[in-house]
Amino acid sequence: AAACAVVVGWAFTASAATHYVATTGNDETGDGSSAKPWRSITHAIQAPATAEGDEILVGGGLYEESVTNNVSNGGKHRLTFKGGYNADWTRDLRNCPTTVKPPVNTVPCWYIENAVSNRVSGFVFTGGSYGIVPRGRTTNSSAGKQNVFYTFVSQLVVTNNVSGGILIAGIPPGNYQCADDCVISSSYVADNGGYGIYVRVDQLCHYWIVNCTVVNNASGGYYSSYATHRLLALNSIFSNNKNGTRDFYAENNSSFSLVALCCTWRYRGA
């Protein structure tokens, strides 16, 4: 069989500053430096020292919090989050995983709202309602007022979340929310309740799923509903979702285009 290799690179503007979070840190006495890290990711987002465009490195270990970056509530645009760091701040994703698990399973592990161009890489999301939820602006009330929000997620393990893995928007039709141009790459989305990747938005959106494995999710692998969007899937596996009967599913879409290269799935559409 012919082999297919896909290499995708994304160019970003250099971060203005780097801040540090570790399980050995302290939100009260820490200053966000590598020597005196903060303890929680949420504190790092909301700290006055953190500015738009900064980078936040998170040490390995368990973080029992539901991380939220909402610009309307102390969050910042264009933040880069990287997990999987050792005590000396060298990166080792395999042996030093950074796990985010909320204290209750009724909230997502990671939630993004009104924040442009977040990049989240190298985390394990487990035990929440969803693993990660990138949403659009909630204050718009009519069509044509939507804003464009970019989210880049990579090198994630999203597993054992109650309602699903990755939820993009997830809103009722007519609210005009969006989460445009979302890139999901090099990630493992498995064993979640609900769908592995669920897209529900109200305007033209673009998504990339690259070098991902989406398997064993209870309701299905990829599900698209009430959306006008374009999906590019590259070198990804969708397998054994809903007991192997719904790896890829789309319904109620006003317009949906798919380009798939070097992917494996069983398609089931309405």
Side-chain angles (χ1 to χ4, degrees):
C4 178
V6 178
V7 178
V8 178
W10 309 100
F12 303 119
T13 303
S15 299
T18 299
H19 310 283
Y20 299 83
V21 177
T23 57
T24 56
N26 190 299
D27 289 341
E28 298 297 327
T29 61
D31 58 12
S33 66
S34 59
K36 297 179 65 179
W38 291 310
R39 176 60 180 88
S40 69
I41 304 167
T42 300
H43 180 86
I45 293 170
Q46 298 183 349
T50 302
E52 178 178 321
D54 282 359
E55 180 179 66
I56 298 172
L57 305 187
V58 186
L62 177 61
Y63 296 82
E64 295 184 284
E65 57 180 308
S66 177
V67 178
T68 299
N69 186 15
N70 185 344
V71 171
S72 300
N73 189 28
K76 313 290 191 320
H77 293 300
R78 300 181 179 88
L79 295 182
T80 295
F81 303 88
K82 295 179 180 179
Y85 286 88
N86 285 310
D88 61 358
W89 298 106
T90 57
R91 205 174 193 196
D92 186 352
L93 294 174
R94 180 182 296 275
N95 297 308
C96 198
T98 299
T99 300
V100 176
K101 181 180 181 181
V104 295
N105 64 12
T106 56
V107 294
C109 302
W110 200 289
Y111 186 81
I112 300 170
E113 186 165 332
N114 296 326
V116 173
S117 299
N118 276 225
R119 302 144 208 163
V120 182
S121 172
F123 291 87
V124 178
F125 295 147
T126 189
S129 57
Y130 290 89
I132 183 168
V133 182
R135 295 187 67 181
R137 189 177 297 273
T138 59
T139 55
N140 292 334
S141 58
S142 62
K145 293 184 179 180
Q146 302 96 329
N147 288 265
V148 177
F149 294 83
Y150 304 88
T151 303
F152 303 85
V153 302
S154 64
Q155 297 176 296
L156 301 182
V157 174
V158 184
T159 187
N160 290 312
N161 296 286
V162 173
S163 300
I166 299 173
L167 172 65
I168 301 174
I171 48 93
N175 283 9
Y176 304 104
Q177 290 182 329
C178 64
D180 252 357
D181 292 354
C182 184
V183 180
I184 305 168
S185 69
S186 303
S187 294
Y188 181 74
V189 184
D191 300 306
N192 297 285
Y195 293 92
I197 301 172
Y198 179 17
V199 176
R200 187 166 181 167
V201 293
D202 285 359
Q203 75 164 65
L204 178 61
C205 300
H206 303 84
Y207 303 105
W208 292 261
I209 301 175
V210 184
N211 299 329
C212 290
T213 299
V214 183
V215 296
N216 300 327
N217 297 286
S219 297
Y222 177 91
Y223 177 51
S224 166
S225 179
Y226 295 104
T228 301
H229 72 279
R230 311 290 183 259
L231 170 65
L232 176 63
L234 299 174
N235 202 39
S236 294
I237 297 171
F238 298 79
S239 179
N240 201 40
N241 295 285
K242 198 177 182 182
N243 298 318
T245 65
R246 187 177 285 182
D247 289 330
F248 195 92
Y249 189 71
E251 67 175 353
N252 299 322
N253 291 280
S254 57
S255 177
F256 173 67
S257 297
L258 166 68
V259 176
L261 299 174
C262 305
C263 291
T264 300
W265 62 50
R266 176 181 295 178
Y267 176 77
R268 291 292 180 96

